[in-house]
Amino acid sequence: MSRAFKPGIEKLIDQSTPTKPSGFNDPLISVCSACRAGPFSHEGFRQAISSGRYTGSSGYRYTTTWQKILQAVVNEACNWCHILRRTRAGVRADKALLISGETVEVRFQVSVKYTAQDSSHIKIYFNGLLVARYTMVLYANEGDGVTIDMSTASANLIWPWKNRDEIYYTKASECIQACSDHEYCPSYEEVYLPTRVIDCSDPAKPCLIETQGVIKGYYCTLSYVWGGDQLHKTTTSNIDTYIREGINVDLPQTIADAIVVTNKLGFQYLWVDALCIIQDSNEDKVKELESMTRIYCNAHLTISVLSAYSAYEGFLPGRRAPDVLPFYLADEASTPGWMLLKCGVQFPGRLSRQLGLSNSSMHAPLRKRSWSLQESILSPRQIIFQPPDVLYKCRSFQAVGIDEDTWSTNTRKLATDHIIFSEETHPTLNKDKFYEQWQNILEDYSKRKSTLSSDKLVAVASVAEILQSHVQDQYIAGLWRRNLLDDLLWEVIAPMGPDETHLPRPITYRAPTWSWASVDGELQARRWQYDLACASYKAEIQMCKATPKFISHPLGEITDAKLTIAAKIRPLMRDGRGCSFIEHVGTKIDTGGLKYWYWTAPAGNILETLSTKSSSDGGLKGGFVFDCLEGTEQDCQTNFYVMLLHAGKYYTHYWVDGLLLIQVDNMTDHYRRVAKFNFKHEYQWLDWLDTEPLKLVTLI
């Protein structure tokens, strides 16, 4: 269950973690020989700060390889090379291809501020891509004759967490305790622990425990971005050692920090996927996937690391020793001073203005990962780390900073996650609120990415499992049996891929073409607002089934699925010929002013009575929206078919919606979905709709 795939990026091998030197008389001992001759030579460093302002060409740049950087870390404990490796591990997944090669151009720029009101900082670029901004605290060697007003007090200003950890832990505990009085939050009671948990009684000596399903207690879970493979994870070869002797390895900083938080909040046990699932055992992975709903629902608290792109970044700045590097304080300086680096962050809102820093929102890579949505929804309570803020969220209330007074007042905003946990299961219950909540979840989920394409259905299966039990409906390949005609009206919001292009279907089968899980891209569950219950025509579902890959995990991966519908279906072109579509890029039509990609068929199509006649407000409303690259080809003439799902009249407007299909080779009544359409028009009706008979159509 790895996350945050970075194409072409090697796993971070943390064989050596440079530490602060015991003395600072010679700051140059903190970097390797190559860095002493290059970026941290007097000439090189002064070049990095010589401009006075940042430009595209300012700063010091040099070309090296990742292998040389790794060797400098391992053999010479170079702090600068270690920073570069750590920074590479945290590069956003969508930017990782820019640094996927072995050779890299490194450029860094230095800005020096001599007052505590402004922070000195370094910017680092890889191949022209800005990848990090570090705050500097500067110190001079004796005899340099330079005074810099950047003291410990300034460091506290830049990092408000310093010496305030206990305050946050106390307030977090108060938030957790307050949940016992919330309407939608579950009661506090001990539960059977997951198969394996980490004993955090001594954060310096964590130990893996196998519970055998008989140990009860309270436990925390960790929700975080892997950022690539991890060197230290539980495997068949080390699990016995982790249980018998403890986890005596240098864990990724995020996991190490989570162990500390678990202990500080008074909990003994922590569940982390990398350590509590045997990562090289498919059998164990499948078994634990079956328990994912229970693991997160039963957790007393989930620790959510919102702003870290990699497990190696950590989220407790006060626990990580600052990086030490040389610094030439003046043009004439013969010997370097030294500086401490802390990873810079953008401070949002009130704190930003208080510190005089730019007001921009933080990156939240965890919200870009498919697995994290399920983890957030299932978790009864979350403590969310987004430096410098610590937030608290539960099923009753939305997230709010725990250092603010609002978390304990009646002004907090209600959350909606609790809807899918409703115990109202009476057969006559109006299920609309459940389906509406699912549509909201699906639209959020579609914006996120998984490392493995096969996780598309798996990473949201636990949410579907909970919802299925309450709506008493059947979940099939991502859609709901009782709501199937409506659910088929999903569409992909174009453009889907880079350079505003459509994406191809996944090479390996993961869902039928009529399921949103068969394609990638951001979804919109339904565009039209008409009451479909009032449609004068509706297609009829005859059969719908899916074959799960694992019987024990029926809502996860599937190997096959079919949908049979009795519907009105005809070739798109009246003369039966093939055709290609015309793309309208970013054209504004009836979507509230939003740019909306849509496609139109050539003249002579069977929807022409709707799509070519004019009306008082401009004619056509709607269009074809392709699911992916399939069907959009311009170099061939494709035989398309129109299948109607609904048709009706809304005041003076006639409207239809349905699917655009391609016939499967050598299978007369079998089709593949390639697009969704809906049209409305004043005073027009399809000339063939009333006379066309229903036909059985099977979609695969």
Side-chain angles (χ1 to χ4, degrees), residues 21-61:
S22 57
F24 298 105
N25 292 332
D26 183 8
L28 290 174
I29 66 174
S30 64
V31 295
C32 64
S33 56
C35 287
R36 287 196 292 269
F40 290 94
S41 65
H42 180 274
E43 179 181 352
F45 199 88
R46 296 309 297 175
Q47 181 179 333
I49 61 176
S50 60
S51 173
R53 65 182 181 88
Y54 289 152
T55 66
S57 60
S58 64
Y60 181 86
R61 68 180 71 203

Side-chain angles (χ1 to χ4, degrees), residues 103-305:
T103 301
V104 60
E105 181 196 73
V106 178
R107 175 162 62 101
F108 76 101
Q109 300 170 326
V110 181
S111 173
V112 181
K113 305 294 182 181
Y114 293 93
T115 67
Q117 282 68 42
D118 295 304
S119 61
S120 298
H121 56 264
I122 284 180
K123 286 185 177 180
I124 301 175
Y125 296 78
F126 292 155
N127 294 340
L129 173 69
L130 177 61
V131 290
R133 181 182 184 274
Y134 284 82
T135 298
M136 303 185 301
V137 182
L138 312 178
Y139 296 86
N141 280 336
E142 291 184 9
D144 278 343
V146 179
T147 301
I148 300 179
D149 185 17
M150 293 289 285
S151 60
T152 303
S154 176
N156 283 335
L157 177 66
I158 296 167
W159 286 94
W161 276 16
K162 193 174 182 66
N163 299 326
R164 293 183 62 186
D165 284 351
E166 294 304 327
I167 297 176
Y168 284 117
Y169 291 129
T170 299
K171 286 202 171 185
S173 296
E174 293 174 3
C175 292
I176 296 169
Q177 186 59 40
C179 267
S180 61
D181 298 325
H182 293 170
E183 180 179 1
Y184 300 113
C185 295
S187 59
Y188 296 161
E189 58 183 22
E190 290 189 334
V191 296
Y192 286 107
L193 301 177
T195 305
R196 302 176 195 92
V197 289
I198 303 168
D199 187 339
C200 305
S201 300
D202 182 354
K205 297 179 180 179
C207 182
L208 190 64
I209 294 177
E210 287 197 317
T211 68
Q212 306 299 328
V214 297
I215 301 177
K216 277 191 169 184
Y218 301 100
Y219 67 95
C220 300
T221 55
L222 176 64
S223 181
Y224 66 116
V225 175
W226 275 40
D229 201 3
Q230 295 188 27
L231 177 63
H232 299 303
K233 56 192 176 187
T234 297
T235 63
T236 52
S237 62
N238 64 24
I239 184 171
D240 290 339
T241 301
Y242 285 0
I243 293 173
R244 184 178 62 254
E245 302 176 10
I247 310 173
N248 297 318
V249 294
D250 291 329
L251 291 172
Q253 193 65 48
T254 292
I255 298 178
D257 287 351
I259 290 172
V260 170
V261 170
T262 301
N263 176 268
K264 289 279 192 179
L265 290 175
F267 296 97
Q268 182 177 356
Y269 303 113
L270 172 68
W271 186 90
V272 180
D273 52 5
L275 295 174
C276 298
I277 299 176
I278 304 175
Q279 294 296 320
D280 61 349
S281 169
N282 288 331
E283 180 182 358
D284 194 67
K285 285 184 178 180
V286 172
K287 178 176 177 293
E288 292 304 305
L289 278 176
E290 298 168 19
S291 305
M292 203 57 59
T293 305
R294 180 178 62 84
I295 288 173
Y296 278 95
C297 283
N298 288 350
H300 200 75
L301 178 74
T302 291
I303 301 167
S304 295
V305 184

Side-chain angles (χ1 to χ4, degrees), residues 232-504:
H232 299 303
K233 56 192 176 187
T234 297
T235 63
T236 52
S237 62
N238 64 24
I239 184 171
D240 290 339
T241 301
Y242 285 0
I243 293 173
R244 184 178 62 254
E245 302 176 10
I247 310 173
N248 297 318
V249 294
D250 291 329
L251 291 172
Q253 193 65 48
T254 292
I255 298 178
D257 287 351
I259 290 172
V260 170
V261 170
T262 301
N263 176 268
K264 289 279 192 179
L265 290 175
F267 296 97
Q268 182 177 356
Y269 303 113
L270 172 68
W271 186 90
V272 180
D273 52 5
L275 295 174
C276 298
I277 299 176
I278 304 175
Q279 294 296 320
D280 61 349
S281 169
N282 288 331
E283 180 182 358
D284 194 67
K285 285 184 178 180
V286 172
K287 178 176 177 293
E288 292 304 305
L289 278 176
E290 298 168 19
S291 305
M292 203 57 59
T293 305
R294 180 178 62 84
I295 288 173
Y296 278 95
C297 283
N298 288 350
H300 200 75
L301 178 74
T302 291
I303 301 167
S304 295
V305 184
L306 200 62
S307 57
Y309 287 101
S310 162
Y312 291 88
E313 289 187 42
F315 58 93
L316 298 178
R319 295 191 65 243
R320 188 163 61 198
D323 298 298
V324 178
L325 290 171
F327 182 89
Y328 288 91
L329 297 163
D331 288 335
E332 66 277 6
S334 58
T335 58
W338 51 274
M339 60 181 174
L340 305 182
L341 261 62
K342 286 283 193 178
C343 185
V345 296
Q346 300 289 337
F347 296 98
R350 173 181 53 78
L351 186 59
S352 158
R353 295 187 292 273
Q354 176 183 329
L355 299 180
L357 301 175
S358 60
N359 183 14
S360 61
S361 60
M362 291 279 295
H363 291 300
L366 188 64
R367 289 187 178 141
K368 303 295 185 182
R369 307 309 305 161
S370 297
W371 284 96
S372 68
L373 177 62
Q374 177 171 270
E375 294 163 358
S376 175
I377 293 173
L378 298 179
S379 301
R381 305 163 197 90
Q382 297 175 71
I383 181 170
I384 303 169
F385 290 89
Q386 188 177 23
D389 293 328
V390 182
L391 310 175
Y392 183 78
K393 178 182 181 295
C394 61
R395 285 188 189 155
S396 296
F397 295 101
Q398 296 180 19
V400 66
I402 65 172
D403 62 335
E404 302 177 18
D405 294 333
T406 53
W407 72 265
S408 59
T409 71
N410 294 327
T411 60
R412 291 190 59 184
K413 294 182 179 179
L414 292 174
T416 59
D417 290 351
H418 67 271
I419 290 177
I420 70 168
F421 296 93
S422 172
E423 296 299 330
E424 302 174 78
T425 56
H426 192 276
T428 61
L429 176 69
N430 187 330
K431 303 296 195 304
D432 287 349
K433 66 176 183 179
F434 293 98
Y435 293 121
E436 182 180 353
Q437 183 69 1
W438 170 258
Q439 289 178 342
N440 294 335
I441 291 170
L442 181 59
E443 290 179 354
D444 186 351
Y445 181 72
S446 69
K447 301 174 186 177
R448 301 170 181 242
K449 299 183 183 301
S450 295
T451 299
L452 301 176
S453 176
S454 58
D455 282 348
K456 190 74 171 183
L457 286 170
V458 182
V460 76
S462 291
V463 175
E465 180 183 340
I466 293 290
L467 189 57
Q468 180 176 254
S469 67
H470 292 307
V471 298
Q472 298 178 350
D473 199 355
Q474 185 182 9
Y475 179 77
I476 309 172
L479 283 68
W480 296 97
R481 177 65 176 82
R482 186 183 295 144
N483 213 46
L484 195 54
L485 278 183
D486 291 9
D487 282 1
L488 286 170
L489 294 175
W490 59 266
E491 66 181 61
V492 176
I493 300 176
M496 298 173 282
D499 303 321
E500 298 189 340
T501 60
H502 275 52
L503 297 173

Side-chain angles (χ1 to χ4, degrees), residues 404-700:
E404 302 177 18
D405 294 333
T406 53
W407 72 265
S408 59
T409 71
N410 294 327
T411 60
R412 291 190 59 184
K413 294 182 179 179
L414 292 174
T416 59
D417 290 351
H418 67 271
I419 290 177
I420 70 168
F421 296 93
S422 172
E423 296 299 330
E424 302 174 78
T425 56
H426 192 276
T428 61
L429 176 69
N430 187 330
K431 303 296 195 304
D432 287 349
K433 66 176 183 179
F434 293 98
Y435 293 121
E436 182 180 353
Q437 183 69 1
W438 170 258
Q439 289 178 342
N440 294 335
I441 291 170
L442 181 59
E443 290 179 354
D444 186 351
Y445 181 72
S446 69
K447 301 174 186 177
R448 301 170 181 242
K449 299 183 183 301
S450 295
T451 299
L452 301 176
S453 176
S454 58
D455 282 348
K456 190 74 171 183
L457 286 170
V458 182
V460 76
S462 291
V463 175
E465 180 183 340
I466 293 290
L467 189 57
Q468 180 176 254
S469 67
H470 292 307
V471 298
Q472 298 178 350
D473 199 355
Q474 185 182 9
Y475 179 77
I476 309 172
L479 283 68
W480 296 97
R481 177 65 176 82
R482 186 183 295 144
N483 213 46
L484 195 54
L485 278 183
D486 291 9
D487 282 1
L488 286 170
L489 294 175
W490 59 266
E491 66 181 61
V492 176
I493 300 176
M496 298 173 282
D499 303 321
E500 298 189 340
T501 60
H502 275 52
L503 297 173
R505 291 192 189 276
I507 297 175
T508 303
Y509 179 89
R510 71 185 184 200
T513 60
W514 44 269
S515 168
W516 54 265
S518 67
V519 297
D520 294 307
E522 183 178 344
L523 299 177
Q524 182 157 318
R526 185 194 300 166
R527 183 172 296 276
W528 295 108
Q529 302 301 317
Y530 301 144
D531 184 358
L532 298 182
C534 298
S536 58
Y537 157 79
K538 287 185 181 181
E540 300 172 5
I541 303 297
Q542 303 296 309
M543 181 273 296
C544 186
K545 64 179 182 179
T547 304
K549 185 174 182 178
F550 303 104
I551 299 300
S552 59
H553 197 223
L555 304 189
E557 288 186 71
I558 61 176
T559 58
D560 179 64
K562 291 183 179 180
L563 169 63
T564 300
I565 303 179
K568 296 177 183 288
I569 180 172
R570 292 188 66 173
L572 172 66
M573 303 304 294
R574 291 185 181 274
D575 59 6
R577 62 186 170 88
C579 69
S580 58
F581 275 71
I582 302 169
E583 182 179 14
H584 299 264
V585 178
T587 302
K588 292 183 179 180
I589 62 174
D590 191 32
T591 57
L594 298 176
K595 286 189 175 182
Y596 175 42
W597 257 252
Y598 74 103
W599 300 71
T600 55
N605 68 82
I606 61 172
L607 297 176
E608 203 165 18
T609 55
L610 292 183
S611 61
T612 61
K613 300 294 182 180
S614 62
S615 68
S616 61
D617 61 352
L620 169 69
K621 299 295 183 183
F624 291 91
V625 182
F626 278 87
D627 304 334
C628 60
L629 191 61
E630 184 179 17
T632 66
E633 297 86 355
Q634 298 296 298
D635 57 353
C636 64
Q637 302 295 300
T638 303
N639 292 317
F640 294 103
Y641 292 81
V642 169
M643 182 178 73
L644 300 184
L645 294 181
H646 305 89
K649 185 177 181 180
Y650 185 77
Y651 292 102
T652 60
H653 290 83
Y654 293 97
W655 59 272
V656 297
D657 60 43
L659 305 178
L660 189 68
L661 311 177
I662 296 177
Q663 195 170 39
V664 177
D665 293 341
N666 303 319
M667 301 182 74
T668 304
D669 297 323
H670 285 60
Y671 298 84
R672 295 167 55 82
R673 166 180 167 154
V674 293
K676 169 228 171 178
F677 67 84
N678 37 19
F679 293 97
K680 70 175 180 179
H681 206 284
E682 286 188 288
Y683 314 117
Q684 298 295 328
W685 192 242
L686 292 176
D687 55 1
W688 53 271
L689 189 145
D690 292 333
T691 59
E692 186 70 20
L694 296 178
K695 297 178 182 178
L696 288 182
V697 179
T698 297
L699 304 183
I700 63 173

